[in-house]
Amino acid sequence: MSDRPLLPLAGEPPRERADAARNRDALLCAARRLVAERGAADVTTEAVAEAAGVGKGTVFRRFGSREGLMAALLDTSEAAWQGEVLGGPPPLGPGAPPWERLEALGRTLVAKRLLHADLLRAAGRSGARSLAAYSFTAMHVQHLLRELEVEGDLLFLTTALLAPLEIPVLDALVHHDRDIPRVADGWVDLARRITRRPFPGDPSPTYS
Amino acid sequence: MSDRPLLPLAGEPPRERADAARNRDALLCAARRLVAERGAADVTTEAVAEAAGVGKGTVFRRFGSREGLMAALLDTSEAAWQGEVLGGPPPLGPGAPPWERLEALGRTLVAKRLLHADLLRAAGRSGARSLAAYSFTAMHVQHLLRELEVEGDLLFLTTALLAPLEIPVLDALVHHDRDIPRVADGWVDLARRITRRPFPGDPSPTYS
């Protein structure tokens, strides 16, 4: 940044803003990688700044505090996941059959919620559900249940599918010695029961 | 209480203690009735004292505060429900087939959790789950799932049955215009799906 002028010159692109955006991205990428490696609790602002190749002061200029950085990481992660659901590649994105989409939604949701639980703690916020994030997911699940022609109280069934992924419940499951893939398998099994899909081992019924 | 001596006389039964227990019971009964009628938020210590036929000071002597009274109401309600599950009449208590017991458990649990949500707010405590109460219920549900010969990850399925009844989730359902019987019906439908019981309207299958 040694070539940055003290003030932007008239007619030049807003260099300060471009630098700021680049630093912000670099910090978020570095933080995302470090959190995945060590968990949010063990990620210091110094480590993030070093990994991003910027000074520690830049973290505070861009995010206000370590908590602010973690909160920004959470928001971008949520936005990226919603983007993938709405327009990413199948099976999470459009184009796959509804059961495959539901399964992909559940598996990515388990991982995302555990990451967010970790980030929420580091951001100094409680594990209270974000209403906007919840509403997005619930609307999408209800849409898939309708596509699967599930009959019944779809609002209640959607709640039943999402409630085990609420952070306090998920935390308790994970403390019970269940790793992410096993929780995700449990969720897919639950979704199969709730949508009343046949199980792989079921005898094939013929209806009288 | 005008005949109560200032100090208990040697050899006499501990009158003060018996009076205290009687007042405590009368206050809990009155409070339970008023909370059922109006909701905990609209129950004052004055109203409870008047309904119990004691002075307002007695509420504070027995329970410390209005919050203490609400907390005591919550504890006695939980203990009474556990007593009914362990030794009360069927179908909630022992003796009924496991599906009938599970259904009775769910229906009483919905009502109990909503009452407790109300009492927790009045007791000035958060809606955080009581670990002891949760463990009791989870152990009992797992036992019934085993009796129903449900196959799969019983810990996960138990979590899935109980998570929609966690207070924040239940509160959101009730705010969504669902009354207690409808939430209870939704729960029984969910339990039917999770345990893979046939539905009343299902065609009878014959297996090839």
Side-chain angles (χ1 to χ4, degrees):
Chain A
M1 324 277 139
S2 53
D3 60 345
R4 197 176 73 187
L6 287 174
L7 287 170
L9 303 179
E12 277 203 341
R15 177 79 68 95
E16 162 67 24
R17 208 175 287 168
D19 275 359
R22 197 165 51 237
N23 283 345
R24 195 183 146 83
D25 280 355
L27 284 164
L28 283 172
C29 284
R32 189 175 302 121
R33 188 162 46 77
L34 290 171
V35 166
E37 278 169 21
R38 318 177 181 172
D42 290 328
V43 174
T44 61
T45 43
E46 288 85 349
V48 175
E50 200 188 311
V54 302
K56 192 180 155 183
T58 308
V59 179
F60 295 100
R61 254 191 320 277
R62 290 299 143 245
F63 299 101
S65 63
R66 181 174 171 278
E67 286 72 24
L69 169 63
M70 297 297 178
L73 207 52
L74 198 150
D75 291 342
T76 56
S77 156
E78 179 64 32
W81 183 79
Q82 292 189 9
E84 282 169 35
V85 169
L86 292 173
L92 182 57
W99 170 253
E100 275 73 44
R101 289 198 78 186
L102 187 62
E103 183 168 346
L105 179 125
R107 290 192 184 278
T108 54
L109 204 49
V110 169
K112 178 176 77 96
R113 299 289 292 166
L114 283 169
L115 168 66
H116 287 195
D118 195 25
L119 290 172
L120 279 167
R121 276 185 291 265
R125 291 197 225 149
S126 77
R129 58 159 82 172
S130 147
L131 197 60
Y134 183 83
S135 298
F136 173 86
T137 312
M139 275 178 57
H140 189 63
V141 168
Q142 271 204 59
H143 163 72
L144 293 176
L145 293 181
R146 264 194 299 274
E147 290 211 321
L148 285 164
E149 301 180 351
V150 173
E151 286 173 23
D153 183 341
L154 297 194
L155 173 68
F156 193 94
L157 295 178
T158 297
T159 301
L161 278 166
L162 295 179
L165 304 186
E166 292 285 337
I167 286 173
V169 181
L170 202 51
D171 271 347
L173 273 174
V174 171
H175 281 127
H176 236 289
D177 196 23
R178 268 152 172 74
D179 55 14
I180 297 183
R182 196 161 162 212
V183 172
D185 287 346
W187 190 87
V188 172
D189 172 71
L190 173 68
R192 200 180 282 281
R193 291 168 192 266
I194 286 181
T195 59
R196 302 191 75 208
R197 284 177 75 77
F199 276 49
D202 285 350
S204 359
T206 53
Y207 292 100
S208 57
Chain B
M1 326 281 134
S2 53
D3 59 347
R4 197 175 71 185
L6 287 173
L7 287 170
L9 302 178
E12 277 203 338
R15 176 80 67 96
E16 161 66 24
R17 207 175 288 168
D19 276 358
R22 197 166 51 237
N23 284 344
R24 193 183 148 85
D25 280 355
L27 284 165
L28 283 172
C29 284
R32 190 175 301 122
R33 188 162 47 77
L34 290 172
V35 166
E37 280 169 21
R38 315 178 183 173
D42 289 327
V43 173
T44 61
T45 44
E46 287 84 351
V48 175
E50 200 188 312
V54 303
K56 190 180 155 184
T58 308
V59 179
F60 295 101
R61 256 195 315 282
R62 291 299 144 244
F63 298 102
S65 63
R66 181 174 172 278
E67 286 74 22
L69 169 64
M70 296 299 179
L73 207 51
L74 198 150
D75 290 343
T76 56
S77 157
E78 178 63 34
W81 184 79
Q82 292 189 9
E84 282 170 36
V85 170
L86 291 174
L92 182 58
W99 171 253
E100 275 72 43
R101 289 198 77 187
L102 187 62
E103 182 168 347
L105 179 126
R107 290 193 185 277
T108 54
L109 204 50
V110 168
K112 179 178 75 99
R113 299 288 294 167
L114 284 170
L115 169 65
H116 286 194
D118 195 26
L119 291 173
L120 278 167
R121 276 185 291 265
R125 290 197 224 151
S126 78
R129 58 158 83 170
S130 146
L131 196 60
Y134 183 83
S135 299
F136 173 86
T137 313
M139 275 177 57
H140 189 62
V141 168
Q142 270 204 56
H143 164 73
L144 293 175
L145 293 182
R146 264 193 300 273
E147 291 210 322
L148 285 164
E149 301 179 353
V150 172
E151 286 173 24
D153 183 340
L154 297 194
L155 173 67
F156 193 94
L157 295 177
T158 297
T159 301
L161 278 166
L162 295 179
L165 305 185
E166 292 285 336
I167 286 174
V169 181
L170 202 50
D171 271 346
L173 274 173
V174 172
H175 282 126
H176 237 287
D177 195 24
R178 265 152 176 74
D179 57 12
I180 297 185
R182 194 161 163 212
V183 172
D185 286 346
W187 191 88
V188 172
D189 172 71
L190 174 68
R192 200 180 282 282
R193 292 169 192 265
I194 286 181
T195 60
R196 304 191 71 208
R197 283 178 75 78
F199 275 48
D202 286 349
S204 357
T206 53
Y207 292 99
S208 56

